Amino acid sequence: MKAERQTDVYYVIFPKKADPLHSAVFDMVDVLKGAFVVGFVLFLLVFRVSGVVGSSMNNTFMDGDRLLITAITTNIKRGDVVIICQPWEDDKLLVKRVVGIEGDTIDIDFEKGQVYRNGEMLDEPYIRDYGREGTALSGDVRFPVTVPEGEVFVMGDNRNNSRDSRFKAIGFIKEEYIMGRAFYRISPKAVKIERME
């Protein structure tokens, strides 16, 4: 007697055609997940948020303002607002404006309240009380000074209430200690920050 051979039977089941609405929703979720991951990585590597503490940048920025800054600082220029982490006695981050870059000679006439860079008087409409007091706070640095290589000279826009490069405790800022350049104020009101040389 011949043995019967059993054969296995396999079925191929084709899924039902997907509902177009569900398909669109799943596609949108995938796109949003990808965008979120890319945005998060970009934010960590390229941008940061920093807060303003104190009144040294009044009236440009007020205490508590939040700034969006670039985390890449390869091209710092005169007029940039920068966030500084260089160690000093108060051990706080500083928000200041770059007045001089390497090679610049900075001089200040405290009686007239005028700042000079390379012999030219600066027009500084951003400083507090511009045209009335100017820069009267002298600090303990003797002027004129020449900015060393790889460093910058910074000042607050509230010139008569700012600890900045006019004081030896802060002095010149090494470029390696510049965390970023502020380019957007995100709160309390969103405003683009223009470079003002």
Side-chain angles (χ1 to χ4, degrees):
M1 181 173 185
K2 215 173 190 185
E4 285 189 24
R5 193 167 168 197
Q6 185 176 357
T7 57
D8 293 330
V9 178
Y10 296 95
Y11 297 95
V12 177
I13 299 173
F14 293 98
K16 285 197 257 178
K17 197 167 186 180
D19 179 16
L21 178 62
H22 285 114
S23 180
V25 168
F26 284 117
D27 287 347
M28 183 62 73
V29 168
D30 279 345
V31 167
L32 289 175
K33 282 193 309 190
F36 177 77
V37 169
V38 168
F40 184 73
V41 169
L42 191 66
F43 194 78
L44 282 178
L45 298 177
V46 180
F47 304 111
R48 294 182 182 153
V49 175
S50 182
V52 176
V53 178
S55 61
S56 73
M57 286 298 288
N58 289 7
N59 289 339
T60 306
F61 306 115
M62 307 304 270
D63 185 42
D65 284 1
R66 308 289 291 166
L67 306 177
L68 190 60
I69 66 172
T70 62
I72 300 169
T73 57
T74 55
N75 193 19
I76 297 299
K77 295 186 176 173
R78 301 176 189 107
D80 284 342
V81 173
V82 294
I83 287 66
I84 301 158
C85 62
Q86 183 166 295
W88 67 295
E89 59 194 35
D90 281 0
D91 202 30
K92 294 177 185 171
L93 294 179
L94 299 171
V95 179
K96 304 291 178 190
R97 188 177 300 275
V98 175
V99 174
I101 59 174
E102 63 180 54
D104 284 342
T105 297
I106 305 298
D107 199 4
I108 303 174
D109 183 334
F110 294 104
E111 289 181 17
K112 294 181 180 176
Q114 295 169 338
V115 179
Y116 297 84
R117 181 175 55 227
N118 303 324
E120 292 184 24
M121 187 178 80
L122 300 184
D123 180 26
E124 301 179 289
Y126 45 80
I127 69 171
R128 185 172 184 164
D129 299 324
Y130 179 68
R132 286 187 288 163
E133 294 180 16
T135 304
L137 181 66
S138 62
D140 56 2
V141 169
R142 296 178 69 95
F143 289 91
V145 295
T146 300
V147 183
E149 184 177 348
E151 300 183 3
V152 296
F153 184 92
V154 298
M155 296 173 78
D157 289 356
N158 186 1
R159 291 292 166 77
N160 299 315
N161 189 21
S162 174
R163 300 279 306 273
D164 49 41
S165 292
R166 291 172 289 174
F167 294 86
K168 292 177 183 175
I170 294 173
F172 297 112
I173 305 298
K174 296 182 187 308
E175 289 181 1
E176 65 196 71
Y177 288 114
I178 296 176
M179 287 179 56
R181 178 179 61 84
F183 69 96
Y184 214 83
R185 184 180 70 194
I186 53 178
S187 75
K189 181 180 176 186
V191 175
K192 184 177 180 191
I193 301 168
E194 301 291 339
R195 174 182 286 139
M196 299 185 77
E197 253 187 85

